[in-house]
């Protein structure tokens, strides 16, 4: 696949398409080794699974339009000063929230600044309602170059979207460098949307989150979900944190009944499973360190430091591409994320999710063989 073809595919390409992968290669779903979707390989919390069984009978009712218990649980879970239920809005996964925040600009022409590479849905959300994405290329180490981002902001800019930890690199940006951008955007009436879907993996969700600043900066919108850390992409539940004034604007454009009842009950259960939370944090860190070391030792691969549950790898051997590696691994029942579809990357990058030691070793062994072809 050429780089041009990769760019053309970026609007339909995501990691984690195990269904399509299983059909194409005739592999049972449960036997697919998915390294492409950055989901907690431990799966959902046992308490969350039990909650599905216990509350299944309640699907005969409409979802609670004012789920007070769930909102209160989110406030307690986020655990930041000044945050109340008035600062929370719910979404059908983080995707609905990413699209929802651009809906408030739907009657005006606007520009959306996106430091790249990044999650493709930020640009898609802007394009969907006539906005124009403005890309700011991040440097090779994916550090946040604030001055370049500021220079990209014009009077037509209405939103800046970033993710922290960064995807696809896994780099964690620290509070002070983000606050500098938030303040700059506030002075120019620009929304600053920050996607914190992976922040629990860092173990620094209390110190580096922007959630505690939403009442000070009314332009700040923090997005989270239970998809990645809690291993529940099929539930589709996310939540946004913002000043009450911004929440009210979002409520005006939010679609009704977007949250199903089971998603709420399962999230309540997952947040209460302290043993699962502790085990996930410890396990991912241990496996990530070992996995990265194994990949680094393979000639022709450069592995970027990560604070998330995935690793970005650059191929330094010009005889093989990320697309070739993806295709070869697929024949072995393993699915990786070909990063040539990210704006700002090419077919020398791929991303792999941290899984169990056994699964990781299987991928490492396969890559060792592929890199000497």
């Amino acid at each position: 696949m050429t780089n041009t073809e990769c760019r053309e595919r970026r609007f339909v390409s995501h990691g984690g398409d195990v269904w399509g992968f299983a059909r194409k290669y005739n592999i049972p779903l449960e036997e697919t080794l998915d390294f492409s979707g950055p989901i907690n390989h431990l799966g959902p919390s046992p308490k969350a699974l039990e909650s599905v069984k216990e509350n299944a009978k309640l699907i005969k009712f409409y979802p609670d339009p004012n789920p007070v218990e769930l909102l209160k649980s989110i406030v307690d879970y986020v655990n930041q000063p000044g945050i109340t239920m008035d600062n929370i809005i719910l979404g059908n996964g983080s995707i609905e929230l990413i699209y929802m925040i651009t809906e408030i600009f739907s009657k005006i022409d606007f520009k959306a600044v996106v430091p790249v590479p990044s999650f493709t849905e930020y640009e898609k959300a802007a394009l969907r309602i006539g906005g124009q994405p403005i890309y700011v290329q991040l440097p090779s180490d994916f550090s946040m170059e604030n001055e370049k981002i500021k220079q990209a902001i014009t009077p037509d800019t209405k939103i800046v979207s970033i993710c922290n930890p960064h995807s696809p690199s896994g780099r964690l940006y620290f509070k002070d460098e983000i606050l500098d951008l938030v303040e700059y955007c506030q002075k120019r009436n620009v929304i600053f949307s920050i996607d914190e879907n992976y922040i629990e993996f860092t173990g620094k969700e209390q110190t580096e989150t922007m959630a505690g600043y939403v009442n000070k900066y009314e332009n700040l919108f923090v997005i989270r979900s239970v998809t990645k850390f809690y291993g529940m992409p099929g539930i589709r539940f996310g939540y946004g944190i913002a000043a009450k004034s911004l929440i009210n604007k979002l409520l005006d454009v939010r679609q009704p009944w977007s949250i199903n009842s089971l998603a709420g009950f399962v999230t309540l259960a997952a947040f209460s499973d302290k043993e699962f939370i502790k085990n996930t944090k410890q396990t991912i860190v241990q496996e990530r360190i070992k996995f990265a070391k194994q990949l680094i030792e393979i000639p022709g691969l450069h592995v970027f430091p990560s604070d998330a549950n995935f690793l970005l790898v650059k191929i330094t051997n010009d005889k093989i591409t990320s697309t070739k590696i993806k295709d070869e691994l697929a024949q072995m029942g393993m699915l990786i994320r070909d990063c040539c579809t990210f704006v700002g990357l090419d077919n020398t990058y791929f991303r792999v999710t941290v899984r169990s030691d056994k699964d990781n070793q299987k991928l490492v062994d396969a890559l060792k063989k592929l890199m000497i072809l």
Side-chain angles (χ1 to χ4, degrees):
M1 183 185 299
T2 66
N3 285 336
T4 300
E5 290 172 323
C6 282
R7 286 191 291 271
E8 290 174 349
R9 282 186 51 202
R10 73 177 186 269
F11 293 118
V12 295
S13 178
H14 281 295
D17 182 16
V18 292
W19 298 91
F21 182 83
R23 288 190 198 99
K24 181 177 180 180
Y25 295 97
N26 196 28
I27 300 173
L29 199 65
E30 293 295 334
E31 294 180 17
T32 298
L33 285 184
D34 182 20
F35 290 90
S36 70
I39 311 299
N40 184 352
H41 78 278
L42 297 173
S45 144
K47 288 187 177 181
L49 292 175
E50 188 61 33
S51 178
V52 173
K53 300 175 185 177
E54 292 177 355
N55 295 290
K57 61 183 178 294
L58 298 179
I59 63 174
K60 66 182 178 180
F61 300 111
Y62 274 108
D64 185 349
N66 184 29
V68 175
E69 294 81 8
L70 177 58
L71 291 168
K72 177 68 165 57
S73 176
I74 292 172
V75 170
D76 292 341
Y77 178 75
V78 173
N79 190 29
Q80 292 293 306
I83 300 301
T84 70
M85 290 188 290
D86 289 335
N87 297 115
I88 308 296
I89 189 167
L90 307 181
N92 190 258
S94 61
I95 292 293
E96 183 183 19
L97 297 163
I98 290 168
Y99 279 70
M100 196 187 301
I101 191 64
T102 61
E103 287 288 339
I104 63 177
F105 312 125
S106 61
K107 295 181 181 179
I108 58 175
D109 293 328
F110 71 97
K111 290 183 172 63
V113 171
V114 184
V116 292
S118 194
F119 189 39
T120 57
E121 297 297 337
Y122 306 146
E123 60 179 302
K124 288 169 65 177
L127 287 167
R128 179 172 174 267
I129 57 171
Q132 179 186 353
I134 302 298
Y135 305 117
V136 179
Q137 180 68 51
L138 295 174
S140 59
D141 64 354
F142 307 105
S143 56
M144 190 67 69
E145 292 186 328
N146 286 18
E147 293 309 311
K148 283 183 65 176
I149 295 171
K150 291 176 183 178
Q151 289 170 14
I153 296 172
T154 67
D156 295 327
T157 303
K158 293 300 179 184
I159 186 170
V160 174
S161 298
I162 72 166
C163 44
N164 190 38
H166 175 251
S167 176
S169 76
R171 179 171 183 144
L172 177 67
Y173 302 122
F174 292 101
K175 187 185 301 181
D176 290 345
E177 56 186 324
I178 295 175
L179 281 174
D180 175 56
L181 288 173
V182 173
E183 290 179 351
Y184 186 86
C185 288
Q186 185 186 49
K187 293 174 182 177
R188 287 153 182 80
N189 195 30
V190 173
I191 295 292
F192 190 91
S193 177
I194 180 166
D195 181 342
E196 293 186 346
N197 262 301
Y198 302 100
I199 199 162
E200 286 100 337
F201 288 113
T202 71
K204 299 174 182 177
E205 64 272 19
Q206 291 300 313
T207 60
E208 301 307 323
T209 180
M210 288 292 103
Y213 294 88
V214 296
N215 288 317
K216 181 177 181 181
Y217 301 103
E218 294 189 0
N219 65 319
L220 177 59
F221 186 47
V222 181
I223 299 173
R224 292 189 182 181
S225 77
V226 298
T227 296
K228 307 303 193 304
F229 184 83
Y230 286 96
M232 300 192 294
I235 282 293
R236 308 312 307 145
F237 181 80
Y239 56 98
I241 310 163
K244 185 177 179 179
S245 58
L246 183 52
I247 293 293
N248 288 337
K249 292 180 182 178
L250 293 168
L251 289 172
D252 287 340
V253 299
R254 182 181 180 230
Q255 296 184 20
W257 310 118
S258 66
I259 309 299
N260 72 76
S261 296
L262 285 179
F265 290 119
V266 169
T267 298
L268 275 169
F271 283 175
S272 71
D273 198 337
K274 306 303 181 186
E275 183 177 346
F276 172 85
I277 294 171
K278 180 180 179 181
N279 181 53
T280 290
K281 291 180 178 181
Q282 292 177 342
T283 301
I284 294 299
V285 169
Q286 292 170 359
E287 296 297 345
R288 184 181 67 221
I289 293 172
K290 183 176 182 180
F291 193 22
K293 185 176 183 296
Q294 291 173 312
L295 291 170
I296 289 170
E297 292 174 351
I298 300 175
L301 297 181
H302 171 77
V303 182
F304 292 88
S306 172
D307 283 284
N309 67 324
F310 54 83
L311 297 167
L312 181 66
V313 182
K314 181 171 175 60
I315 304 164
T316 57
N317 181 346
D318 60 8
K319 295 181 180 180
I320 193 166
T321 67
S322 57
T323 305
K324 175 66 174 177
I325 289 175
K326 177 184 176 181
D327 292 342
E328 292 290 337
L329 290 173
Q331 303 296 329
M332 307 176 202
M334 289 177 277
L335 179 61
I336 65 168
R337 179 68 159 93
D338 183 355
C339 290
C340 74
T341 56
F342 282 91
V343 175
L345 295 183
D346 57 26
N347 61 7
T348 64
Y349 292 87
F350 65 90
R351 188 187 68 194
V352 290
T353 301
V354 177
R355 293 181 59 91
S356 68
D357 181 53
K358 179 182 178 181
D359 292 347
N360 295 341
Q361 186 63 59
K362 185 173 182 179
L363 178 64
V364 168
D365 291 342
L367 286 170
K368 284 180 180 178
K369 296 176 181 178
L370 290 174
M371 293 306 295
I372 58 174
L373 290 178

